[in-house]
């Protein structure tokens, strides 16, 4: 198999990509209170205390990236890219983000790319798109000291290009970590095809933030139900499981993984993750995990709060992973905004001291440069 790209037979068909984009459009449209609601926030955000939160799930898009997506309108899904660019990203600028951070209790935004990412089946296009986005993000970090961090893109599924980009983003751009989609062409993080990339990230002790993508394996529940409704969280659970089901999580023990949306459906599937049966799982969750066991790795991974600051998901995460592994995330500029996430967390069963850990202190353990 060519080391530089996955076997072409494993690439999704054109309808799968169209479905992916259609699903995202439907999901995003549903999150907008009205067609004119900027950044998907239903009206002005409520006032919240300035907790100097670190938002580990905050998306960015360069003008060139938005233009590239607009050029795909009609080729992948009519209307998708128009909505994506003109609705969600309309008016986006670094200065606008800073304004929203200041109004919504947040000190630092860790920038990352969201779905659909940069892979559309063309390696040179992906390579160029990734490099431009990474340089744009790095400039935001440089121009606004202490307000932004960068989880850089990689041109996966191309392996050699990704290895070269790892060197560039860490050694030249000084990125804080890497941001990946949860899967690529039916391959998840634990797949051996990605081993050279994760081995290098492990050697560097890198942060790897993961954002879901609706996997082409399981879409179209029924007409009118967008794939991301279920697939986002489920594909996150798939990629987590792919790491712990074999030796990948142990092999990549130096990588600090952050998973979006409260770990997706992982908490509700915990018994199926092999950490205990009906008669033993509660006992196992109540005691220390065996080294390098599945539960051990679930407890060393980090999980953000984006679109998940509800008592069911949060207390499930607290039970499985512990309070020290939960970091703040808002999904900006999608969803309800940072302020509403902070308010939701206040009602999710946490103590004041636990909220301080989630807002900032847990992230600082792996992002110490933002302590100042």
């Amino acid at each position: 198999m060519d080391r530089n790209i996955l076997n072409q037979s494993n690439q999704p068909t054109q309808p799968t990509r169209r479905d992916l984009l259609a699903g995202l459009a439907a999901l995003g449209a549903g999150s907008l209170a009205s067609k004119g609601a900027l950044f998907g926030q239903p009206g002005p955000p409520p006032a919240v205390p300035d907790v100097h939160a670190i938002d580990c799930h905050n998306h960015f898009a360069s003008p060139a990236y938005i233009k590239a997506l607009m050029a795909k309108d009609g080729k992948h899904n009519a209307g998708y890219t128009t909505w994506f660019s003109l609705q969600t990203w309309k008016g986006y600028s670094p200065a606008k983000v800073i304004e929203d951070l200041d109004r919504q209790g947040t000190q630092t935004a860790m920038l990352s790319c969201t779905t659909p990412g940069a892979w559309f089946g063309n390696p040179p296009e992906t390579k160029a798109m990734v490099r431009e986005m990474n340089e744009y993000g790095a400039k935001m970090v440089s121009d606004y000291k202490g307000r932004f961090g960068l989880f850089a893109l990689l041109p996966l599924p191309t392996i050699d290009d990704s290895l070269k980009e790892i060197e560039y983003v860490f050694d030249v751009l000084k990125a804080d970590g890497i941001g990946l989609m949860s899967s690529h062409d039916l391959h998840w993080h634990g797949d051996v095809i990605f081993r050279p990339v994760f081995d290098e990230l492990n050697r560097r002790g890198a942060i790897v933030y993961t954002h879901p993508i609706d996997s082409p394996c399981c879409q179209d529940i029924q007409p009118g139900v967008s794939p991301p409704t279920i697939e986002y969280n489920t594909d996150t659970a798939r990629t987590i499981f792919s790491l712990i089901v074999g030796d990948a999580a142990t092999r990549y023990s130096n990588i600090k993984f952050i998973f979006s949306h409260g770990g997706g459906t992982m908490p509700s599937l915990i018994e199926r993750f092999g950490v205990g049966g009906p008669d033993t799982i509660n006992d196992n969750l109540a005691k220390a995990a065996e080294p390098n066991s599945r539960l051990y790795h679930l407890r060393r991974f980090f999980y953000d709060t984006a679109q998940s600051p509800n008592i069911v998901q949060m207390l499930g995460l607290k039970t499985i992973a512990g309070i020290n592994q939960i970091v703040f995330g808002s999904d900006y500029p999608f969803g309800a905004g940072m302020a509403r996430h902070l308010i939701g967390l206040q009602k999710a069963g946490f103590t004041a001291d636990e909220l301080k850990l989630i807002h900032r202190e847990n992230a600082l353990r792996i992002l110490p440069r933002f302590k100042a």
Side-chain angles (χ1 to χ4, degrees), residues 200-277:
E200 176 59 16
L201 294 172
N202 186 70
R203 186 187 70 81
R204 290 175 176 267
I207 296 172
V208 173
Y209 158 86
T210 298
H211 190 275
I213 194 167
D214 44 304
S215 173
C217 82
C218 309
Q219 299 186 29
D220 300 328
I221 298 172
Q222 63 186 51
V225 179
S226 61
T229 302
I230 302 297
E231 276 306 296
Y232 266 20
N233 283 359
T234 301
D235 210 54
T236 295
R238 288 191 190 102
T239 211
I240 293 171
F241 191 82
S242 76
L243 288 167
I244 67 170
V245 72
D247 68 345
T250 299
R251 182 183 182 94
Y252 310 139
S253 60
N254 291 329
I255 294 178
K256 294 168 278 288
F257 289 98
I258 304 174
F259 294 101
S260 300
H261 306 126
T265 55
M266 180 276 289
S268 65
L269 297 172
I270 187 61
E271 195 164 323
R272 297 175 182 267
F273 271 58
V275 301

Side-chain angles (χ1 to χ4, degrees), residues 122-306:
N122 183 324
E125 176 193 52
T126 295
K127 181 180 178 180
M129 194 180 298
V130 163
R131 176 61 60 88
E132 192 278 333
M133 275 281 281
N134 285 338
E135 292 183 339
Y136 183 86
K139 189 174 189 304
M140 289 177 66
V141 173
S142 176
D143 287 350
Y144 296 87
K145 301 293 186 184
R147 304 310 304 275
F148 294 117
L150 176 62
F151 292 149
L153 291 73
L154 292 183
L156 285 177
T158 55
I159 303 302
D160 286 344
D161 287 349
S162 294
L163 291 172
K164 292 175 183 176
E165 195 67 13
I166 289 171
E167 181 178 4
Y168 181 72
V169 298
F170 283 121
D171 297 345
V172 178
L173 298 184
K174 308 301 181 183
D176 295 284
I178 296 296
L180 301 178
M181 296 294 108
S182 54
S183 62
H184 292 81
D185 298 354
L186 296 179
H187 295 268
W188 290 266
H189 287 0
D191 197 305
V192 295
I193 196 72
F194 297 134
R195 182 170 288 178
V197 171
F198 282 101
D199 277 346
E200 176 59 16
L201 294 172
N202 186 70
R203 186 187 70 81
R204 290 175 176 267
I207 296 172
V208 173
Y209 158 86
T210 298
H211 190 275
I213 194 167
D214 44 304
S215 173
C217 82
C218 309
Q219 299 186 29
D220 300 328
I221 298 172
Q222 63 186 51
V225 179
S226 61
T229 302
I230 302 297
E231 276 306 296
Y232 266 20
N233 283 359
T234 301
D235 210 54
T236 295
R238 288 191 190 102
T239 211
I240 293 171
F241 191 82
S242 76
L243 288 167
I244 67 170
V245 72
D247 68 345
T250 299
R251 182 183 182 94
Y252 310 139
S253 60
N254 291 329
I255 294 178
K256 294 168 278 288
F257 289 98
I258 304 174
F259 294 101
S260 300
H261 306 126
T265 55
M266 180 276 289
S268 65
L269 297 172
I270 187 61
E271 195 164 323
R272 297 175 182 267
F273 271 58
V275 301
D279 58 332
T280 62
I281 188 167
N282 294 311
D283 297 326
N284 292 343
L285 291 172
K287 63 185 180 182
E290 294 294 326
N292 292 324
S293 65
R294 294 184 180 188
L295 183 56
Y296 172 88
H297 290 298
L298 291 175
R299 286 180 170 173
R300 76 172 181 86
F301 297 159
F302 290 84
Y303 308 89
D304 76 43
T305 65

Side-chain angles (χ1 to χ4, degrees), residues 341-363:
H341 276 77
L342 291 170
I343 289 173
L345 286 171
Q346 291 176 339
K347 304 174 184 179
F350 297 117
T351 68
D353 287 339
E354 288 173 336
L355 286 173
K356 290 179 181 178
L357 293 174
I358 295 171
H359 292 157
R360 186 173 178 84
E361 297 302 319
N362 289 339

